[in-house]
Amino acid sequence: MARPRKPLLSRERIVDTALALVDEEGLAAVSTRRLAAELGVSGPSLYNHFRTKDEILDAVVDRVCAEVDLSMFEDGSDWAEALLRWARSYRAALAAHPRIVPHLALGPGRRPSQLRMADAVFGRMTAAGWPAAQATHIGAVMRYFVTGSALGSFAGGFVDDAALYGEHYPHLGQAHLLADHRERVDEGAFETGLAALVDGLALRHPMPADHV
């Protein structure tokens, strides 16, 4: 009887496995040795597809960012509405894989998905009348805001111990309840900040109306 063939090693399998490791254990869990063991192959075989561990992590980031919807930058949406919709899609993609965010925060580098995103945002903002420098600043501040919101939970950072807050922190008398409402608190905080950011930009828009 013929022995079953091992699944062929591919970039897709490597990225899938690396993403699963990051999701479960964090960035430190990813090494070529660990990936090879998880895939059931020899370490050197990975180098047929990626030269370094950082290239693998870049591909993982690219996979995550490929899930971000960019259609609002081309469908005629008002620039402010486009920013709102994009930010929500971007946050959703990162919230599904928060442990990859520190590597993503290094910047787009040569990653196609992040470069497409930067190009789409910059193009829509300049088309809406923003000067190039301000359009660059908008893309940057939106990325800071979204990636920061995906790095961790504000509500989840408070421990469930009423005694900790009651005596020394009188304004935090209900802080021990926050973790039980983590999703609602964090979502509300994100939407509050996003609205404030985009509304503030609208006040500074250099033209009376979107020309596109």
Side-chain angles (χ1 to χ4, degrees):
M1 179 181 296
R3 299 177 62 184
R5 296 178 59 189
K6 291 183 178 179
L8 293 175
L9 189 62
S10 64
R11 287 178 64 93
E12 183 176 4
R13 283 191 66 216
I14 295 169
V15 172
D16 286 344
T17 303
L19 179 56
L21 278 176
V22 172
D23 285 345
E24 293 170 10
E25 302 180 32
L27 287 166
V30 179
S31 68
T32 53
R33 179 177 295 180
R34 177 71 184 277
L35 283 171
E38 294 286 333
L39 290 161
V41 300
S42 63
S45 63
L46 297 178
Y47 296 113
N48 293 326
H49 301 276
F50 295 98
R51 292 177 298 177
T52 65
K53 183 184 82 170
D54 280 345
E55 280 194 3
I56 296 172
L57 291 175
D58 283 346
V60 172
V61 166
D62 204 55
R63 168 77 59 81
V64 172
C65 287
E67 298 300 316
V68 181
D69 183 13
L70 300 177
S71 64
M72 68 289 295
F73 294 116
E74 299 180 353
D75 65 6
S77 294
D78 172 79
W79 68 266
E81 177 63 24
L83 285 181
L84 292 171
R85 289 170 52 196
W86 165 61
R88 291 171 183 138
S89 178
Y90 194 9
R91 178 174 179 261
L94 301 191
H97 308 282
R99 289 177 167 176
I100 196 61
V101 174
H103 193 77
L104 177 149
L106 296 175
R110 297 178 181 274
R111 305 165 191 159
S113 292
Q114 282 192 283
L115 289 170
R116 282 194 296 271
M117 188 159 29
D119 182 70
V121 175
F122 183 82
R124 186 66 188 89
M125 294 305 103
T126 53
W130 290 96
Q134 288 183 305
T136 300
H137 297 161
I138 290 169
V141 75
M142 293 295 290
R143 186 169 71 87
Y144 297 155
F145 176 68
V146 174
T147 56
S149 74
L151 276 173
S153 165
F154 174 81
F158 291 88
V159 301
D160 181 12
D161 181 1
L164 173 65
Y165 308 104
E167 183 177 355
H168 300 292
Y169 311 101
H171 302 298
L172 297 180
Q174 301 297 307
H176 64 288
L177 303 175
L178 287 175
D180 289 337
H181 304 282
R182 175 174 175 167
E183 183 175 347
R184 180 167 60 85
V185 172
D186 291 346
E187 182 68 24
F190 175 77
E191 288 295 330
T192 298
L194 180 61
L197 199 163
V198 175
D199 287 349
L201 287 173
L203 293 174
R204 300 182 63 183
H205 189 243
M207 303 185 73
D210 195 326
H211 284 195
V212 176

